[in-house]
Amino acid sequence: MPEHAQALATLVAQNREHLQAYLPAVVQLDSFGEAQAYLQTACARAASGDVLEWHVFSATALCGSIRLKDIDAAERNARIGYYLGSQFQGRGIASAAVRAVLAHAFGALQLHRIELQCAAGNHASMALAERLGFAHEGVLRQGELLNGVFVDLHVFGLLQPDFVPEGVAFSQA
């Protein structure tokens, strides 16, 4: 994955304004050095099993990222997060990619529950969660400090028995 550093820096730089709204930490990856350091850390965290991250491609273009974090093998749960560049939205790419990661999480990783949290104004992420069968479980009032303002977080959960894979194939590089 470190070989994706330049593509990641370019994607972030091209989507700075888009990503700033809900993922200000990602905006910091807009240079080759920052992206490379981040990817090296991501590989180390993957080796420990705490965080798994995948890059999403459309043909040869890096268009986003998905990660499972706070993976708790004993409790069999994790949280999922993702982003796409604005130019790749509206094509079903995020739905297909998240569905593939969910299939891996519920299959190979044998997780039972995946949680997704998104800021109240992030309607695209809320719609994706609902499309994939996540249940809206509630709101964490002012649950995140985002760009200097406390915002509500919507919490969605998906249980393994409720997941419909729809024939998704998954391969991990």
Side-chain angles (χ1 to χ4, degrees):
M1 192 160 47
E3 65 274 11
H4 300 160
Q6 187 58 58
L8 177 59
T10 301
L11 176 70
V12 171
Q14 291 172 347
N15 287 275
R16 176 175 270 290
E17 187 176 318
H18 169 70
L19 295 169
Q20 181 68 42
Y22 300 113
L23 298 167
V26 174
V27 174
Q28 305 307 310
L29 306 178
D30 66 348
S31 73
F32 176 78
E34 290 294 326
Q36 186 176 42
Y38 171 79
L39 293 174
Q40 289 171 345
T41 300
C43 287
R45 292 182 78 187
S48 75
D50 181 48
V51 175
L52 299 176
E53 185 166 335
W54 295 267
H55 287 157
V56 180
F57 287 85
S58 177
T60 60
L62 176 66
C63 55
S65 178
I66 300 175
R67 79 156 102 169
L68 287 175
K69 63 181 185 173
D70 301 330
I71 300 168
D72 187 331
E75 295 294 325
R76 296 178 51 201
N77 60 49
R79 292 175 48 202
I80 193 166
Y82 49 86
Y83 65 87
L84 284 183
S86 60
Q87 65 272 39
F88 299 104
Q89 292 187 334
R91 301 185 198 173
I93 295 170
S95 293
V98 171
R99 184 176 276 119
V101 170
L102 291 171
H104 180 68
F106 290 134
L109 299 180
Q110 297 185 330
L111 298 179
H112 179 72
R113 182 180 191 282
I114 304 293
E115 182 176 293
L116 182 157
Q117 295 182 356
C118 57
N122 193 342
H123 302 293
S125 281
M126 287 189 266
L128 184 139
E130 291 170 357
R131 238 184 345 272
L132 295 179
F134 281 80
H136 187 261
E137 296 179 335
V139 176
L140 300 175
R141 297 180 315 128
Q142 298 184 5
E144 181 177 30
L145 182 61
L146 188 59
N147 297 313
V149 177
F150 285 101
V151 298
D152 293 347
L153 288 177
H154 286 262
V155 179
F156 295 85
L158 181 64
L159 303 179
Q160 185 277 328
D162 299 330
F163 175 62
V164 180
E166 295 188 22
V168 170
F170 181 86
S171 66
Q172 186 172 3

